[in-house]
Amino acid sequence: MPPIPRTILLLLVCLLTAPSTAVAEPSHGIAIQGEPALPAGFTHFPYVNPDAPKGGVITYGVIGTFDNLNPFILKSMRSTARGVIDQAFGNLVYESLMQRSADEPFTLYPLIAETVDTDDERTWVEFQINPKAKWSDGTPITPEDVIFTYETFAAKGRPPYSQRMDKIARIQKAGERGVKFTFNEKADREFPLIIALTPIVPKHATKLDSFDQTTLDTPVGSGPYIVSKVAPGERIEYQRNPDYWAKDLPSKRGYDNYDKIKIEYFRTDLAQYEAFKKGLIDVIAESDPGKWEKNFDFPAVKDGKVKKEVFNTGTPASAYGFVFNTRRPVFADQKVRMALSMFYDFEWTNKNLFFNKYARTGSFWQNSELSALGTPAGERELELLKPYSAEMLPSVLDGTWKPAETDGSGRDRAVIKQAVAILSQAGFALKDGKMLTPEGNPFSFEILCAGEAEEKLALVYQRTLAKIGIEAQIRSVDDAQYQQRRQTWDYDMIFATYSASLSPGIEQAGRWGVQSRDIPGTFNYAGVADPGIDAMIDAMGKARSREDFVAAVRSLDRLLISGHYMIPLHHLGEQWLARWDRIQHPDKTPLFGYQLATWWAQP
């Protein structure tokens, strides 16, 4: 046998000693941590009725108005018709590469893409598009559509879609049906899932030159419904696409059960309630205990034609409250925000307005392991927070902090005295019954409201503030004006809700990150720009283990609490909803609560 040439030997040595770069085979799903709960051969999600009857009509009601059918642009961002892409009613027109399970913290399964592939470090992700996937006009969905979507969003889209290219080094076609994303150093382990959830638009049916303008033209999408009727500001109707390509996919079985979906727009909560009472809309959610106790006793409820139901979820409570716009000098000082937070009398409000049905909110991930309330910071958290310890309240670090608690009388002098003392430390002074700023001016600000429920809470707060000489002006505006002012930071204080999940991620940068502070249309309502908060959001994205992830989220919670960017109000531990009995739903309630897109009309 002749000797093996030296070059061949060297090549063999290199191959044998080189580090392994093998990656897993393309998968049917991807989870933020660990593996998907459902196997590759699953037939449907566990919280749907796979045999739900198809047909009938459902009518939803919403408050507000609309003048646009393009949900991806900044112009009219807050007045896009509901249902085009919609967390509550379902993504009726536009879909994403993968579908999220409502029964797992953050796991995705096939939709437009039939497989997903990535490396262990998640520096890239590749999707293979289902060969059956097509647009509502019958045109196949291609990798070119995906690439076009990202290029278009980057050039003319709104946040957060416009910012996703910032973390992408390259997008390329991979074979006939594949598309591969290679990330840069800004991306984290969650980013492949964000890519998979981005709605895709059709290249052949999208006018690039006018993409950033509002439109009422019927969109071409890949979803289960087609826009059939539009009455701007009043109603929009969707008709089921009989040729919907994904109706038999495991991730879509049991969904999209109505032949027609109508969404009616109302100016006020009362108008929406009266429409439900008359049977003009089919379901209505309620979160006001007073209304839940008093309003739902009309004859149809007593006769069993309307069902009042309570749903329990496994997710953290959303944080709802007054938000300070720290871009305004009046709220720039953290001590001022801390003092103002103490003037909200939750105990009186809960007893006199809400039948003591609410619990006080203190954390942005209340009622979960991610919350910092009642839990001292562990070693992981202390290490993360060490560079930012000067910003922290000791009581937040040791787990003893909680929102100010009053005696419920509406005039708890001890709490008011403590809050006034904090204002004094910040240079404020009470003189002749008026609270004066350090510059000697009367302390006043405006609370912007978008409905009677908000106005009622603002009046309670206003009354307490008036007792120590602070003038809080209340301004209620129509929905269009409210959305415009909120979008451009034109307010002192507003109400906001920050939804919470067991897998917070990139959305936190849009709410609290420095990069979102000055970009119109983001959700950084408070104008936060804090290096510590940015560092915690970064740590969340890089976490490999559940323990590291929990530590990062709790650390973020501690910084947000210490910053007093909002006055947390209250939350329910359950969901309340009433429905006319012809509308039915599955027996199982998933982790994220009821899913309207899985309900159906009784034949």
Side-chain angles (χ1 to χ4, degrees):
M1 177 178 179
I4 300 174
R6 176 179 174 81
T7 54
I8 300 297
L9 285 172
L10 288 173
L11 179 61
L12 289 171
V13 171
C14 290
L15 290 172
L16 291 171
T17 59
S20 174
T21 58
V23 297
E25 290 295 317
S27 175
H28 73 293
I30 184 171
I32 186 67
Q33 288 145 357
E35 298 297 324
L38 301 177
F42 83 99
T43 58
H44 58 83
F45 287 134
Y47 53 86
V48 307
N49 174 7
D51 301 315
K54 304 290 185 180
V57 180
I58 189 167
T59 303
Y60 297 117
V62 296
I63 308 299
T65 187
F66 77 94
D67 59 2
N68 179 37
L69 296 183
N70 182 353
F72 308 115
I73 60 173
L74 186 59
K75 192 174 183 180
S76 296
M77 169 184 170
R78 310 290 184 191
S79 55
T80 299
R82 295 289 303 274
V84 180
I85 54 171
D86 203 293
Q87 289 188 345
F89 306 145
N91 295 336
L92 306 182
V93 175
Y94 293 108
E95 295 180 316
S96 52
L97 291 168
M98 304 191 78
Q99 171 90 339
R100 186 169 187 171
S101 167
D103 211 30
E104 299 175 56
F106 196 2
T107 302
L108 309 181
Y109 294 93
L111 189 52
I112 292 176
E114 63 179 349
T115 63
V116 57
D117 193 9
T118 186
D119 63 332
D120 187 56
E121 298 297 326
R122 295 190 176 176
T123 60
W124 57 266
V125 66
E126 182 178 317
F127 303 95
Q128 289 293 319
I129 294 174
N130 192 317
K132 297 179 181 179
K134 62 181 180 179
W135 300 106
S136 57
D137 62 3
T139 305
I141 301 176
T142 67
E144 285 80 5
D145 290 316
V146 179
I147 296 170
F148 171 80
T149 295
Y150 278 84
E151 292 174 344
T152 302
F153 286 173
K156 296 196 172 186
R158 66 166 174 87
Y161 305 115
S162 59
Q163 299 167 312
R164 291 181 182 167
M165 282 295 286
D166 294 346
K167 299 180 180 181
I168 298 171
R170 184 171 63 257
I171 310 177
Q172 60 194 120
K173 189 174 180 181
E176 181 183 356
R177 300 195 314 273
V179 59
K180 182 176 181 179
F181 295 79
T182 302
F183 307 131
N184 59 34
E185 69 283 353
K186 296 179 183 179
D188 54 32
R189 293 187 59 77
E190 183 196 38
F191 197 55
L193 283 78
I194 301 303
I195 296 295
L197 279 182
T198 302
I200 305 302
V201 300
K203 182 177 181 178
H204 74 282
T206 301
K207 299 175 181 177
L208 184 59
D209 58 344
S210 60
F211 184 81
D212 56 355
Q213 301 300 309
T214 59
T215 180
L216 291 174
D217 293 342
T218 301
V220 174
S222 64
Y225 291 87
I226 298 170
V227 175
S228 57
K229 291 184 181 179
V230 176
E234 298 179 10
R235 75 185 57 82
I236 183 168
E237 296 184 11
Y238 299 88
Q239 190 74 33
R240 186 210 302 279
N241 180 1
D243 299 320
Y244 176 49
W245 70 275
K247 59 186 176 183
D248 295 322
L249 286 185
S251 61
K252 294 296 284 182
R253 283 193 67 192
Y255 279 81
D256 315 316
N257 298 314
Y258 308 104
D259 283 343
K260 182 182 293 185
I261 295 175
K262 300 180 181 180
I263 301 176
E264 297 281 347
Y265 280 75
F266 300 92
R267 296 295 182 184
T268 65
D269 293 332
L270 179 60
Q272 183 185 24
Y273 163 76
E274 290 295 337
F276 174 76
K277 187 176 176 181
K278 295 174 182 177
L280 301 178
I281 60 176
D282 293 305
V283 298
I284 189 168
E286 186 54 75
S287 59
D288 185 317
K291 293 178 180 178
W292 188 245
E293 291 288 330
K294 295 179 178 180
N295 288 4
F296 292 87
D297 62 351
F298 49 90
V301 177
K302 296 176 181 178
D303 294 343
K305 295 178 181 178
V306 167
K307 306 292 186 183
K308 290 177 64 177
E309 294 193 276
V310 176
F311 298 88
N312 294 306
T313 76
T315 56
S318 296
Y320 169 67
F322 299 98
V323 177
F324 299 102
N325 185 359
T326 64
R327 303 172 185 86
R328 300 290 172 92
V330 68
F331 295 141
D333 190 328
Q334 181 258 9
K335 287 184 178 179
V336 173
R337 302 194 299 269
M338 180 192 302
L340 290 175
S341 298
M342 298 175 67
F343 289 121
Y344 178 72
D345 194 333
F346 166 75
E347 284 69 29
W348 184 93
T349 306
N350 197 33
K351 179 176 65 176
N352 289 278
L353 299 183
F354 301 126
F355 300 87
N356 282 321
K357 293 286 188 179
Y358 282 128
R360 183 72 194 269
T361 305
S363 163
F364 290 84
W365 287 276
Q366 192 103 4
N367 303 332
S368 78
E369 65 172 341
L370 303 177
S371 173
L373 288 186
T375 304
E379 290 184 10
R380 284 185 172 93
E381 291 177 69
L382 292 174
E383 185 64 28
L384 286 170
L385 292 168
K386 188 175 181 180
Y388 315 103
S389 57
E391 305 174 34
M392 303 293 298
L393 294 174
S395 58
V396 175
L397 274 177
D398 65 23
T400 60
W401 181 89
K402 60 181 180 179
E405 186 174 342
T406 72
D407 60 12
S409 66
R411 53 184 182 276
D412 191 321
R413 294 180 180 273
V415 174
I416 292 175
K417 183 178 179 180
Q418 185 181 358
V420 170
I422 295 173
L423 283 176
S424 298
Q425 296 172 15
F428 289 72
L430 187 59
K431 185 177 181 180
D432 299 328
K434 294 287 186 181
M435 184 65 68
L436 302 180
T437 67
E439 294 76 26
N441 301 316
F443 188 12
S444 65
F445 59 88
E446 180 183 272
I447 304 173
L448 186 65
C449 300
E452 58 187 49
E454 292 183 0
E455 189 172 330
K456 181 168 62 176
L457 290 169
L459 286 167
V460 173
Y461 188 43
Q462 179 191 54
R463 186 177 63 233
T464 304
L465 293 172
K467 294 176 182 178
I468 45 90
I470 298 177
E471 181 185 4
Q473 301 170 354
I474 298 173
R475 183 177 296 276
S476 294
V477 297
D478 62 36
D479 186 70
Q481 186 179 354
Y482 181 84
Q483 301 298 354
Q484 175 63 25
R485 290 186 62 176
R486 185 170 68 168
Q487 186 171 306
T488 56
W489 325 128
D490 184 17
Y491 52 83
D492 296 330
M493 176 182 282
I494 61 169
F495 288 83
T497 299
Y498 298 100
S499 59
S501 76
L502 295 171
S503 59
I506 195 172
E507 79 285 351
Q508 301 303 313
R511 296 174 181 181
W512 315 110
V514 65
Q515 74 270 29
S516 64
R517 184 182 189 272
D518 299 316
I519 300 176
T522 67
F523 298 94
N524 194 340
Y525 302 130
V528 178
D530 184 297
I533 286 175
D534 287 332
M536 296 312 113
I537 295 172
D538 184 60
M540 286 164 46
K542 293 179 178 177
R544 298 293 295 270
S545 67
R546 185 66 184 175
E547 293 76 15
D548 287 342
F549 181 75
V550 170
V553 180
R554 282 185 185 168
S555 298
L556 174 60
D557 199 25
R558 295 184 201 278
L559 284 169
L560 292 174
I561 292 170
S562 295
H564 291 280
Y565 298 108
M566 74 178 294
I567 304 173
L569 299 184
H570 50 247
H571 64 273
L572 292 169
E574 55 199 19
Q575 297 174 319
W576 297 339
L577 183 140
R579 62 178 170 87
W580 284 84
D581 63 352
R582 71 180 196 86
I583 301 299
Q584 304 290 311
H585 60 75
D587 295 331
K588 177 180 171 58
T589 301
L591 185 69
F592 283 83
Y594 63 77
Q595 302 294 305
L596 292 176
T598 68
W599 293 21
W600 64 90
Q602 189 70 25

